[in-house]
C-alpha cells in the first residue's frame, strides 16, 4: 500500500483547491466588473449655426438613441413651397430610409420612421414634429397625435433638408451612437485582475511544493559535442531562413486588415474591425492585437509589424526541438539527421502560415508550448508542468477560436496525467487556464464581447461543424488557400501520421525512450477533429498546428525508421508501407498540382504562380522517385531483409523529399522574384529590401497617375465608311470628355468600315507627359487602330493594340478546354498611350486611322480624339490628399498612405479618395462598402459619386498578368462631411450593461 500523504502535503492539496477555486472565481468576475465607457452624442446643427445638410456616417448601423425635433414654423415653410419637401432626413432627400424623415406633401406633414410611414397629419395650429427611438422601437408625434413603430431606426448616413438654412432654423437632431466597444477598465477591475494573477502565482508555488520529493528521475541521453554543434548549426540555418523570409517573403491574407485594426485601436482603445462587421470589436479574441499595439506605436511598416511573428517562430522552434521532441523521442532528437528533419518539417509548416500579424503564428506558439509542457509532465511526473500547460492553453484560447485545440494533448495523455492530478491540482490548473479569460476581458466588457459575437454571427461567415469539408475543398482548390506550400504541410504530414499510427498499433515502433512518440500524431489528429467546431473554414487555420505538424512529421519518421528494423517481417506493416508509398506519391502529386500562389501583389514575379510544377504534378513521376528512393535505401543498408526495410522507410522518404522540394521552390521563388521583376517593376521582396534600406511605399512607388491635361483640337473632315461620329459604341460606358468620338457599332456587330480622322496639331510633349487615345471594343484580332504622325521627316504610323493583355493570351489552370486565341470582347472605354520616346521625332501633327473587319458579336471598334495627359507618381499625386481609404487588402502594399479615415465613437469619417484592389478580388475588394455584410464605409456608396482616376503600373508591358494593380478613385459628395457637434461624456457601467 502506498504511504499516506503527509500533513504538509494534505495541507498543500487543500490550499491548492482553495487558491484554484478563488482564481477561477476572480477570472469569472472580470467580464462583469465595471468599465469606463463614453456616451457619445451627435447634435445637428452645430451650436450657433443654421441647419445645413451634412454627411453623418453612423456605424454601428443601429444608433442607441435618436431624437428629432421639427418646430411648426419649419413645417409651414415646407408647406409654403407647394410641393413635396423634405424637412429633415437621415438620407439624401427622396432616398428610401430605414432611419427617419419628416416631409410635407399636399398640406400634410408626414413622419417616416424605420422604413415606414409612422404618422401623417394635416398641417394645423399644432404641427410640430417629434421622433424618438432607438434600435428596438420608436415613437412619432405630430402636434397632439402620436404613433409607435415596433422597429428601430438604422442606416443614418446624413442629416439633410430641402429647406434653406433660414427656413430650417429650429430643426434639431440628436443621435446617441451605439458606442459599445470603446471602453477602459476601472481601478476596481484592474485590482481584480491583479488579484487573479497573484492567485495564479501562488498556485505555481503550491505546485512546486507538491513536486518536492516526487520528481521522477529521468534518464538524459548523453549528447556528443559534435551532435550539439551540428544542432546549433541547424538553429542558425533556420534563423537565417526566417530572416530571409522576413525580408523577402509574402504578405499573408488579412495582414493589412489586422494591422489597420491595431492602428485604429491606438486611437480608440478598442480593436474594432474598422472595415466591416459594423466595426464590431474583435473581442474576445484580441490578445495578439493588444500585444502588437506597442509595435504599431513604434513603427507601422510591414517589416516592423512582422517582428513579433518572427519571434514567435523562434520560440516555437525552441519549444519544438527541445521540449516536444526532447520528450517524445529522447535520445533521437539531438541526432543531426533528426534535427535537420525537424527544421525542414518546421519550415514546411511555418512558411505558408506563420509570418505576419494573423494569429496563427501565435496560436502555434501556444499550442506547441502546451504540447511540450504536457509531455514534460508525463515524462518527469512534475505537476508544475501541468500548470504551465494549463496557463499556455488558457492564453491560446484567448488568441482565436483555434485555441480549442489546446485541449488535444491533455486528452491524449489523460490516463498518464490523471495519476498526477487530484482535486487540488485540477483546481489550480483551472485557475491558471482562467488567465485566458482575464486576457479576453481585461479591456472589454461582457456586453461588448456579446454584441461583437452577435454581429459576427449575424453577418458571418459562421460555418457549422458539418461543413468542415469546405476547408478541404479550399485546400485542394487552385486559389491561394490551396497553394503548393499549404498542401505540402497538411497532406504530407497526414500520410506520415497515418503510417506511424499503423506502426504503433502493430507495436512495431516500440523502442527504449519512445513511450511518448505517439503523442504528437495523436494530438494532431484530435486537433483536426476539434477544428470542425471553429466557425471559419479557411485553410489559414491550419497554421495554428505548425508545431504539432512538425512534431508529427519528425516523430513519425523516427517511428517508421524504428519499425523498418523491428518489423521488417510483419506483413501488415509491409503492406501498409506499400500502400503508404502510393499515398505519399499521390499526396506529393497533389501538392505540385497546385499553384505557387500567394496573396495579391505578393504574387508578382513568383515562379510557377499560374500553373503546376511540371512534371512533379504527375503521380507517375513520384512513383519513379519512390522507386529510386526504395532502391537507394536498400543499397545503403546491408542486411538480409534490406528490401523489406527499405519498403517500410519509403513513405517517409517520399514525404521528406516532397517537403524539401516544396520548401526549395517557395524560398527560391521569393528570392528570384525581385530579380525577375527588375528595378522597373514591383515585387514584394524589392519592397522589403527598400524598406530595410530606409523607406519604401511599396507598389505605390511603381504606380503613376495619368490625369488629362487637355484634348487636342482639330481632327475635322474625317473620312469614314461604317463609322459614326458621336456614337457607335456600347451603351452604359462613358467615353472620354471634351474630345470627339467615332464608332462602328451603329450598324450592329455585323457592320464593318474604316475611319481616317483629320489632322490634330501636336505640341511638343514634356518628359512627364504622354499622348492618349480612348478605345472601346476590339483593338486587334481582325480590327485595327493606329496613329499617323506627320512632320518634316514624313509620315510614320504607330499601331495601338491591347489584345495582348487579354486573359486568353495567358495560361488558365486548371481547365478542361484550352482556347488558344479567343477574339477580344472589351466593350468598355480604356486609354492606349504613347510616351514622348514612342512618338516620332519632329512630329507636328497626328491623326487616327481605324478599321473594323470583324462581324462576330464583339466585332466593333470605337476611338476618341487624342488627349495630352500628365504622368505623376502616385505618392506625389496623393500628397496632401486626405483622408484616403486604403482597402483592407492593400495597406501593407502602400505603407506610406496612412492618413486613413477615422472610425471611432460610432462614427465614420467620409473618405475623399479610395485605393481599392484589382477587380480579381471580386466581393472581397468591395466588402467595406457592402451594407449586407456590415461594411463600415457603406455610406460612401449610399451618398457619394465615385470617379476613377487613370493609373497604371510601371513595367506591366512585360508582365501583362500584373497590369491591374488596383484603382484610385475620387469620391464626390453632395454635402460637406461631419458638420455637427460631438459630445463625449465618460462614465462607469457594469460589464453586463451597454449604454
Amino acid at each position: 500500500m502506498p504511504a499516506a500523504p503527509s500533513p504538509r502535503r494534505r495541507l498543500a492539496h487543500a490550499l491548492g483547491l482553495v487558491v484554484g477555486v478563488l482564481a477561477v472565481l476572480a477570472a469569472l468576475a472580470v467580464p462583469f466588473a465595471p468599465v469606463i465607457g463614453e456616451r457619445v452624442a451627435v447634435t445637428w446643427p452645430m451650436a450657433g449655426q443654421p441647419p445645413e445638410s451634412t454627411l453623418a456616417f453612423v456605424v454601428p448601423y443601429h444608433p442607441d438613441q435618436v431624437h428629432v425635433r421639427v418646430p411648426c414654423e419649419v413645417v409651414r415653410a415646407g408647406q409654403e413651397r407647394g410641393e413635396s419637401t423634405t424637412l429633415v432626413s437621415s438620407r439624401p432627400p427622396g432616398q428610401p430610409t430605414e432611419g427617419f424623415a419628416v416631409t410635407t406633401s399636399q398640406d400634410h406633414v408626414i413622419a417616416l420612421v424605420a422604413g415606414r410611414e409612422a404618422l401623417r397629419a394635416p398641417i394645423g395650429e399644432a404641427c410640430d414634429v417629434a421622433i424618438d427611438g432607438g434600435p428596438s422601437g420608436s415613437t412619432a408625434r405630430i402636434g397632439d397625435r402620436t404613433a409607435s413603430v415596433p422597429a428601430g431606426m438604422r442606416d443614418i448616413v446624413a442629416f439633410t433638408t430641402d429647406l434653406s438654412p433660414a427656413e430650417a432654423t429650429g430643426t434639431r437632431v440628436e443621435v446617441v451612437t451605439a458606442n459599445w466597444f470603446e471602453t477602459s477598465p476601472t481601478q476596481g477591475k484592474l485590482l481584480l485582475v491583479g488579484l487573479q494573477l497573484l492567485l495564479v502565482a501562488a498556485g505555481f508555488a503550491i505546485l512546486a511544493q507538491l513536486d518536492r520529493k516526487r520528481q521522477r528521475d529521468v534518464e538524459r541521453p548523453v549528447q556528443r559535442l559534435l551532435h550539439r554543434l551540428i544542432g546549433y548549426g541547424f538553429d542558425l540555418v533556420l534563423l537565417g531562413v526566417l530572416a530571409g523570409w522576413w525580408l523577402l517573403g509574402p504578405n499573408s491574407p488579412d495582414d493589412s486588415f489586422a494591422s489597420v485594426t491595431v492602428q485604429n485601436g491606438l486611437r480608440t482603445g478598442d480593436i474594432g474591425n474598422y472595415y466591416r462587421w459594423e466595426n464590431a470589436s474583435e473581442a474576445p479574441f484580441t490578445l495578439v492585437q493588444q500585444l502588437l499595439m506597442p509595435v504599431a506605436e513604434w513603427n507601422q511598416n510591414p517589416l516592423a509589424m512582422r517582428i513579433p511573428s518572427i519571434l514567435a517562430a523562434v520560440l516555437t522552434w525552441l519549444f519544438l526541438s527541445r521540449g516536444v521532441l526532447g520528450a517524445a523521442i529522447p535520445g533521437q532528437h539531438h541526432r543531426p539527421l533528426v534535427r535537420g528533419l525537424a527544421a525542414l518539417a518546421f519550415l514546411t509548416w511555418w512558411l505558408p502560415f506563420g509570418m505576419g500579424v494573423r494569429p496563427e503564428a501565435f496560436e502555434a506558439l501556444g499550442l506547441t508550448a502546451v504540447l511540450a509542457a504536457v509531455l514534460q509532465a508525463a515524462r518527469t511526473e512534475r505537476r508544475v508542468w501541468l500548470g504551465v500547460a494549463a496557463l499556455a492553453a488558457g492564453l491560446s484560447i484567448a488568441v482565436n477560436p483555434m485555441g480549442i485545440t489546446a485541449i488535444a494533448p491533455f486528452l491524449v495523455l489523460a490516463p498518464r496525467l490523471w495519476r498526477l492530478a487530484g482535486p487540488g491540482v485540477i483546481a489550480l490548473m483551472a485557475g491558471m487556464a482562467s488567465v485566458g479569460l482575464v486576457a479576453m476581458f481585461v479591456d472589454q466588457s461582457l456586453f461588448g464581447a456579446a454584441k461583437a459575437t452577435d454581429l459576427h454571427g449575424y453577418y458571418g461567415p459562421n460555418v457549422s461543424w458539418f461543413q468542415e469539408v469546405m476547408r478541404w475543398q479550399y485546400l485542394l482548390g487552385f486559389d491561394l488557400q490551396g497553394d503548393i506550400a499549404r498542401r505540402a504541410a497538411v497532406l504530407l504530414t497526414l500520410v506520415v501520421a497515418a503510417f506511424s499510427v499503423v506502426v504503433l498499433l502493430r507495436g512495431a515502433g516500440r523502442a527504449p525512450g519512445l513511450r511518448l512518440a505517439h503523442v504528437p500524431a495523436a494530438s494532431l489528429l484530435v486537433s483536426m477533429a476539434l477544428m470542425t467546431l471553429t466557425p471559419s473554414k479557411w485553410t489559414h487555420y491550419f497554421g495554428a498546428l505548425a508545431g504539432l505538424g512538425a512534431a508529427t512529421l519528425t516523430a513519425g519518421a523516427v517511428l517508421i525508421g524504428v519499425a523498418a528494423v523491428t518489423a521488417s517481417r510483419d506483413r501488415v506493416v509491409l503492406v501498409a508501407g506499400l500502400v503508404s508509398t502510393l499515398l505519399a506519391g499521390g499526396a506529393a502529386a497533389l501538392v505540385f498540382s497546385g499553384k505557387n500562389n500567394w496573396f495579391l501583389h505578393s504574387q508578382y514575379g513568383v515562379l510557377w504562380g499560374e500553373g503546376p510544377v511540371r512534371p512533379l504534378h504527375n503521380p507517375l513521376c513520384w512513383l519513379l522517385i519512390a522507386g529510386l528512393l526504395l532502391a537507394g535505401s536498400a543499397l545503403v543498408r546491408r542486411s538480409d531483409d534490406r528490401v523489406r526495410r527499405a519498403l517500410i522507410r519509403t513513405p517517409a522518404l517520399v514525404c521528406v523529399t516532397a517537403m524539401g522540394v516544396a520548401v526549395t521552390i517557395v524560398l527560391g521563388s521569393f528570392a528570384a522574384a525581385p530579380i525577375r521583376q527588375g528595378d522597373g517593376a514591383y515585387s514584394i521582396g524589392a519592397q522589403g529590401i527598400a524598406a530595410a534600406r530606409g523607406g519604401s511605399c511599396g507598389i505605390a512607388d511603381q504606380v503613376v497617375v495619368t490625369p488629362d491635361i487637355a484634348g487636342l483640337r482639330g481632327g475635322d473632315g474625317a473620312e469614314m465608311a461604317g463609322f459614326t461620329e458621336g456614337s457607335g459604341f456600347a451603351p452604359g460606358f462613358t467615353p472620354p470628355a471634351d474630345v470627339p468620338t467615332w464608332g462602328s457599332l451603329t450598324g450592329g456587330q455585323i457592320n464593318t468600315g474604316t475611319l481616317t480622322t483629320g489632322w490634330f496639331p501636336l505640341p511638343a510633349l514634356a518628359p512627364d507627359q504622354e499622348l492618349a487615345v480612348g478605345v472601346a471594343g476590339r483593338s486587334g484580332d481582325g480590327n485595327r487602330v493606329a496613329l499617323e504622325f506627320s512632320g518634316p521627316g514624313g509620315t510614320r504610323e504607330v499601331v495601338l493594340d491591347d489584345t495582348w493583355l487579354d486573359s486568353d493570351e495567358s495560361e488558365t489552370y486548371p481547365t478542361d478546354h484550352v482556347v488558344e486565341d479567343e477574339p477580344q470582347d472589351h466593350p468598355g472605354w480604356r486609354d492606349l498611350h504613347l510616351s514622348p520616346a514612342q512618338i516620332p521625332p519632329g512630329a507636328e501633327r497626328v491623326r487616327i486611322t481605324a478599321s473594323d473587319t470583324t462581324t462576330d458579336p464583339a466585332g466593333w471598334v470605337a476611338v476618341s480624339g487624342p488627349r495630352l495627359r500628365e504622368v505623376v507618381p502616385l505618392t506625389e499625386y496623393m500628397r496632401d490628399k486626405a483622408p484616403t481609404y486604403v482597402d483592407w487588402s492593400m495597406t501593407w502594399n502602400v505603407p506610406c498612405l496612412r492618413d486613413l479615415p477615422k472610425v471611432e465613437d460610432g462614427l465614420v469619417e467620409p473618405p475623399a479618395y479610395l485605393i481599392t484592389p484589382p477587380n480579381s478580388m471580386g466581393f472581397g475588394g468591395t466588402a467595406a462598402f457592402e451594407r449586407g455584410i456590415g461594411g463600415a464605409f457603406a455610406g460612401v456608396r449610399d451618398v457619394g459619386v465615385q470617379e476613377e482616376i487613370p493609373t497604371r503600373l510601371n513595367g506591366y508591358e512585360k508582365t501583362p498578368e500584373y497590369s491591374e494593380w488596383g484603382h484610385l478613385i475620387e469620391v464626390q459628395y453632395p454635402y460637406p462631411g461631419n458638420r455637427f457637434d460631438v459630445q463625449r461624456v465618460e462614465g462607469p457601467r457594469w460589464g453586463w450593461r451597454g449604454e
Side-chain angles (χ1 to χ4, degrees):
M1 296 289 292
S6 66
R8 178 175 296 180
R9 186 171 294 275
R10 287 198 299 270
L11 177 61
H13 276 286
L15 188 59
L17 180 62
V18 173
V19 170
V21 170
L22 289 176
V24 171
L25 292 176
L28 290 173
V30 168
F32 299 89
V35 294
I36 297 173
E38 281 188 338
R39 183 184 187 274
V40 180
V42 174
T43 55
W44 175 84
M46 300 176 72
Q49 300 292 322
E52 294 184 279
S53 297
T54 181
L55 302 177
F57 295 173
V58 177
V59 175
Y61 301 152
H62 291 88
D64 192 66
Q65 298 176 37
V66 178
H67 306 287
V68 182
R69 299 294 182 266
V70 182
C72 214
E73 294 81 3
V74 176
V75 174
R76 292 196 176 95
Q79 179 189 23
E80 291 171 0
R81 288 194 163 205
E83 59 184 3
S84 296
T85 301
T86 297
L87 308 181
V88 65
S89 177
S90 58
R91 287 259 178 160
Q95 275 195 11
T97 177
E98 293 188 49
F100 61 85
V102 179
T103 66
T104 59
S105 178
Q106 298 178 348
D107 294 329
H108 282 71
V109 60
I110 307 164
L112 306 175
V113 179
R116 66 191 71 179
E117 181 181 302
L119 192 59
R120 176 190 292 257
I123 300 174
E125 289 293 327
C127 60
D128 57 303
V129 182
I131 298 175
D132 298 282
S136 58
S138 309
T139 61
R141 179 182 59 80
I142 300 176
D144 57 358
R145 300 186 184 189
T146 61
S148 298
V149 176
M153 287 178 274
R154 54 176 288 151
D155 299 351
I156 296 175
V157 297
F159 303 134
T160 65
T161 178
D162 279 334
L163 301 176
S164 67
E167 292 173 321
T169 298
T171 304
R172 180 178 173 83
V173 178
E174 181 181 3
V175 174
V176 178
T177 65
N179 191 33
W180 303 310
F181 310 116
E182 296 173 22
T183 61
S184 57
T186 60
Q187 289 296 322
K189 185 170 185 176
L190 291 176
L191 287 174
L192 184 62
V193 170
L195 173 63
Q196 203 274 344
L197 296 179
L198 283 175
L199 290 169
V200 169
F204 274 107
I206 295 171
L207 289 178
Q209 177 64 30
L210 289 172
D211 282 336
R212 292 184 63 186
K213 299 181 181 180
R214 182 178 174 86
Q215 182 175 352
R216 176 182 175 184
D217 292 331
V218 177
E219 182 180 352
R220 299 185 181 277
V222 178
Q223 184 176 355
R224 292 189 223 169
L225 177 61
L226 179 60
H227 287 180
R228 183 177 300 173
L229 293 177
I230 293 175
Y232 291 149
F234 280 119
D235 292 341
L236 292 175
V237 170
L238 188 73
L239 287 174
V241 172
L242 293 177
W245 197 241
W246 169 74
L247 186 66
L248 302 175
N251 297 340
S252 68
D254 295 335
D255 276 342
S256 293
F257 189 111
S259 66
V260 172
T261 66
V262 173
Q263 175 186 343
N264 205 53
L266 292 173
R267 180 168 55 238
T268 66
D270 170 61
I271 305 297
N273 271 275
Y274 189 83
Y275 291 100
R276 58 168 297 192
W277 288 290
E278 297 188 38
N279 192 36
S281 175
E282 282 285 82
F285 304 109
T286 61
L287 179 58
V288 170
Q289 293 93 327
Q290 296 288 350
L291 295 175
L292 287 168
M293 287 178 76
V295 180
E297 194 169 16
W298 163 59
N299 192 326
Q300 295 176 15
N301 187 276
L303 286 186
M305 295 293 287
R306 283 175 170 175
I307 291 175
S309 64
I310 292 292
L311 295 177
V314 173
L315 292 174
T316 303
W317 166 248
L318 293 176
F319 284 138
L320 169 68
S321 59
R322 273 68 171 176
V324 175
L325 299 181
I329 49 173
Q332 302 283 338
H333 72 288
H334 62 266
R335 294 174 57 194
L337 188 62
V338 175
R339 182 63 62 85
L341 174 60
L344 175 61
F346 177 73
L347 289 175
T348 301
W349 273 91
W350 197 85
L351 292 179
F353 300 111
M355 186 171 62
V357 294
R358 279 192 59 87
E360 281 75 27
F362 308 93
E363 193 70 80
L365 171 60
L367 299 184
T368 307
V370 172
L371 179 60
V374 168
L375 282 167
Q376 292 296 335
R379 184 171 176 237
T380 65
E381 296 188 356
R382 294 188 63 187
R383 295 180 175 89
V384 72
W385 284 115
L386 290 178
V388 172
L391 177 62
L395 292 175
S396 296
I397 293 172
V399 171
N400 81 343
M402 274 295 290
I404 191 174
T405 59
I407 68 175
F410 292 99
L411 296 176
V412 171
L413 283 170
R416 287 177 178 267
L417 301 180
W418 185 253
R419 296 199 302 267
L420 297 176
V425 174
I426 292 174
L428 287 174
M429 290 175 63
M432 293 162 183
S434 67
V435 170
L437 188 64
V438 174
M440 288 178 173
F441 290 97
V442 65
D443 194 38
Q444 188 55 265
S445 67
L446 179 65
F447 181 88
K451 291 296 294 186
T453 302
D454 287 345
L455 285 170
H456 280 83
Y458 177 76
Y459 288 112
N462 196 11
V463 186
S464 299
W465 66 270
F466 52 82
Q467 294 176 280
E468 179 68 14
V469 66
M470 292 173 59
R471 197 188 317 271
W472 299 91
Q473 289 173 343
Y474 290 139
L475 184 68
L476 297 178
F478 293 90
D479 63 4
L480 61 94
Q481 289 206 63
D483 58 43
I484 289 173
R486 296 185 187 216
R487 291 186 183 190
V490 178
L491 299 180
L492 298 174
T493 300
L494 286 178
V495 172
V496 172
F499 187 33
S500 62
V501 167
V502 173
V503 166
L504 288 167
L505 291 176
R506 296 295 296 176
R510 293 173 183 170
L514 297 183
R515 294 179 300 108
L516 300 176
H518 68 287
V519 175
S523 298
L524 179 69
L525 296 176
V526 172
S527 295
M528 286 188 171
L530 291 171
M531 285 176 71
T532 62
L533 303 179
T534 58
S536 295
K537 302 305 178 186
W538 313 126
T539 61
H540 316 320
Y541 278 21
F542 282 121
L545 307 178
L548 274 66
T552 298
L553 277 165
T554 308
V558 170
L559 285 171
I560 291 168
V562 171
V565 176
T566 62
S568 61
R569 298 186 183 278
D570 188 321
R571 293 183 179 179
V572 173
V573 174
L574 289 170
V575 171
L578 177 61
V579 173
S580 296
T581 298
L582 297 175
L583 290 175
L590 276 176
V591 167
F592 296 104
S593 294
K595 301 178 183 179
N596 188 23
N597 195 17
W598 300 86
F599 185 65
L600 205 59
H601 305 104
S602 297
Q603 183 71 11
Y604 287 18
V606 172
L607 294 163
W608 293 290
E610 302 301 325
V613 181
R614 295 184 173 92
L616 297 180
H617 71 309
N618 190 330
L620 295 178
C621 176
W622 283 98
L623 289 179
L624 175 61
I625 292 173
L628 294 174
L629 291 171
L630 174 63
S633 178
L635 291 174
V636 168
R637 309 264 181 158
R638 298 285 182 180
S639 63
D640 295 338
D641 56 353
R642 58 186 179 182
V643 175
R644 291 192 294 270
R645 292 187 179 189
L647 178 60
I648 296 173
R649 294 190 195 98
T650 300
L653 293 175
V654 172
C655 290
V656 170
T657 301
M659 284 193 304
V661 174
V663 168
T664 302
I665 285 174
V666 169
L667 293 175
S669 294
F670 280 91
I675 300 172
R676 296 183 72 213
Q677 290 292 91
D679 294 335
Y682 174 80
S683 71
I684 193 69
Q687 176 180 336
I689 293 171
R693 288 175 174 172
S696 167
C697 198
I699 200 169
D701 290 334
Q702 302 296 339
V703 175
V704 293
V705 184
T706 56
D708 282 353
I709 300 174
L712 300 187
R713 299 306 170 195
D716 299 329
E719 299 177 2
M720 54 187 139
F723 280 75
T724 306
E725 185 170 358
S727 61
F729 44 84
F733 299 95
T734 304
D738 299 326
V739 287
T741 58
W742 301 267
S744 67
L745 188 57
T746 305
Q749 292 93 338
I750 200 171
N751 184 63
T752 59
T754 59
L755 166 71
T756 301
T757 70
W759 290 101
F760 294 85
L762 179 65
L765 272 64
D768 61 349
Q769 294 178 344
E770 64 186 18
L771 186 67
V773 173
V775 176
R778 181 174 302 160
S779 63
D781 289 340
N783 293 351
R784 193 172 189 273
V785 177
L787 294 180
E788 286 187 3
F789 294 91
S790 175
T795 302
R796 181 179 166 187
E797 183 180 65
V798 178
V799 175
L800 304 179
D801 183 4
D802 64 348
T803 55
W804 58 279
L805 289 170
D806 292 353
S807 59
D808 66 286
E809 300 297 327
S810 59
E811 179 183 17
T812 300
Y813 176 80
T815 182
D816 54 6
H817 178 60
V818 177
V819 179
E820 294 185 359
D821 189 10
E822 185 176 284
Q824 186 183 52
D825 184 1
H826 198 326
W829 286 92
R830 69 271 189 197
D831 285 335
L832 306 183
H833 68 276
L834 295 179
S835 67
Q838 294 172 298
I839 296 175
E844 298 174 344
R845 298 184 301 168
V846 62
R847 68 180 179 184
I848 305 169
T849 64
S851 62
D852 173 5
T853 64
T854 56
T855 59
D856 60 279
W860 59 274
V861 65
V863 296
S864 77
R867 313 183 320 274
L868 290 184
R869 301 197 305 192
E870 284 187 281
V871 181
V872 186
L874 177 62
T875 51
E876 180 181 331
Y877 185 85
M878 295 305 297
R879 195 171 296 147
D880 301 326
K881 288 182 171 63
T884 300
Y885 164 95
V886 182
D887 188 73
W888 68 267
S889 59
M890 293 184 63
T891 57
W892 271 24
N893 296 102
V894 286
C896 64
L897 300 180
R898 288 289 181 178
D899 198 351
L900 303 177
K902 297 176 182 177
V903 180
E904 59 183 335
D905 296 332
L907 299 167
V908 172
E909 183 181 16
Y913 290 84
L914 314 176
I915 292 182
T916 59
N919 294 333
S920 59
M921 280 285 291
F923 179 72
T926 63
F929 310 107
E930 299 281 351
R931 195 169 290 277
I933 60 169
F937 291 86
V940 173
R941 183 173 287 181
D942 294 337
V943 184
V945 176
Q946 301 180 29
E947 181 179 354
E948 182 166 1
I949 300 171
T951 61
R952 69 169 177 271
L953 182 66
N954 289 333
Y956 78 94
E957 295 87 355
K958 64 179 182 180
T959 53
E961 63 271 26
Y962 309 142
S963 59
E964 190 188 8
W965 71 276
H967 306 277
L968 173 62
I969 297 170
E970 183 177 7
V971 187
Q972 299 288 344
Y973 300 101
Y975 318 113
N978 296 2
R979 297 291 180 88
F980 46 73
D981 289 325
V982 180
Q983 184 181 26
R984 300 171 179 87
V985 179
E986 288 188 346
R989 59 174 182 253
W990 289 102
W992 65 84
R993 297 188 60 181
E995 292 286 352

